[in-house]
Amino acid sequence: MNTVVDTEPVVRMDMSWARSRRLALREFGPQDQEALVRMHGDPRLRAHLVDDYPMHDAAVVRVFLDRLARLYRRHEGLGIWHATLLEPQPLFAGWFNLMPMAERPGEVEIGSRLRPQAWGSGLSLEGGELLLDHAFDELALARVWGVCHPDNRSAQAVLAALGFEPLGLLPYDGSTACHYRIVADTWRVLRVESRGARLRRALRARAGFSETRP
């Protein structure tokens, strides 16, 4: 597991709308522009992205934050949220999101974009659990999609551990990406299991798939 060391200041704002033991989510605001630019300036992060939006450019980030502010009000309960890792000390870890899918009207996708300083901390799973509870309990969604870069094995492992069903490579935002999907009933069964049990099942499934793959 990576040790989380960071000098990124945490901007104090209104109380988070969602919180777990180690994670707090809140809306992004204009004061987060500099942190987002620095986050996307890291080539390690950009190597795992499906899209190619130049979010290391301050002008692009300003437009992004302006559009995001409108989306919060237009699609209540959906959005891209600032993630603070609370332990061992508060730090800006990246973001988690539940967003409408442009390619599939009426459908919603889950996602995360974490700074390398937070990789290996288990935060992706913790945030994913938090958002799936929100999606199915609060928003009453029937299903949630997951999409990731074909080479992003960590994201694929997280989606498998959360119980997402793999659907293969499909078109996405002008490119091709791995698609996954989970329905409400599946999550309600799986969330009572320990995180370790779900991780072990996902690893066994991936190993079995590798052994049978031609």
Side-chain angles (χ1 to χ4, degrees):
M1 180 177 293
N2 294 344
T3 301
V4 179
V5 178
D6 188 70
T7 58
E8 187 78 53
V10 174
V11 178
R12 304 294 178 181
M13 281 189 59
D14 297 336
M15 185 177 297
S16 56
W17 71 267
R19 182 182 290 257
S20 62
R21 182 177 65 84
R22 296 188 304 149
L23 177 67
L25 302 181
R26 64 162 173 81
E27 294 182 0
F28 276 105
Q31 71 286 340
D32 297 309
Q33 176 183 311
E34 185 178 348
L36 284 171
V37 170
R38 283 199 295 268
M39 169 178 160
H40 289 90
D42 193 318
R44 294 171 295 174
L45 181 144
R46 293 203 306 274
H48 292 286
L49 302 182
V50 176
D51 64 63
D52 59 354
Y53 303 124
M55 291 280 287
H56 53 287
D57 184 320
V60 172
V61 172
R62 280 196 296 273
V63 173
F64 168 81
L65 290 171
D66 181 64
R67 292 176 177 174
L68 190 55
R70 294 196 296 270
L71 183 140
Y72 289 137
R73 306 288 79 83
R74 189 167 65 248
H75 298 281
E76 290 291 340
L78 300 181
I80 301 173
W81 298 288
H82 178 290
T84 297
L85 179 60
L86 301 172
E87 299 177 354
Q89 58 186 13
L91 65 87
F92 170 51
W95 77 44
F96 286 89
N97 64 268
L98 281 172
M99 288 287 286
M101 297 183 74
E103 292 85 355
R104 300 177 183 276
E107 301 290 344
V108 170
E109 71 171 285
I110 193 173
S112 66
R113 186 170 295 186
L114 298 182
R115 300 173 61 219
Q117 290 85 343
W119 293 357
S121 64
L123 204 62
S124 292
L125 266 177
E126 193 165 333
E129 294 164 357
L130 197 63
L131 289 191
L132 287 178
D133 283 343
H134 174 66
F136 294 132
D137 295 343
E138 305 298 328
L139 303 182
L141 298 180
R143 61 196 158 268
V144 172
W145 292 72
V147 180
C148 65
H149 192 285
D151 295 332
N152 193 341
R153 295 185 178 275
S154 295
Q156 294 172 37
V158 168
L159 289 168
L162 288 170
F164 280 77
E165 172 193 7
L167 301 176
L169 289 170
L170 297 170
Y172 183 82
D173 198 21
S175 184
T176 302
C178 294
H179 281 62
Y180 294 78
R181 185 174 58 200
I182 187 171
V183 298
D185 287 345
T186 297
W187 176 241
R188 291 185 179 118
V189 170
L190 291 178
R191 69 179 172 185
V192 301
E193 295 185 351
S194 70
R195 190 174 300 159
R198 284 188 272 116
L199 277 168
R200 289 190 292 273
R201 181 187 294 108
L203 290 172
R204 287 195 299 269
R206 285 175 63 85
F209 176 75
S210 298
E211 291 171 1
T212 58
R213 189 174 184 176

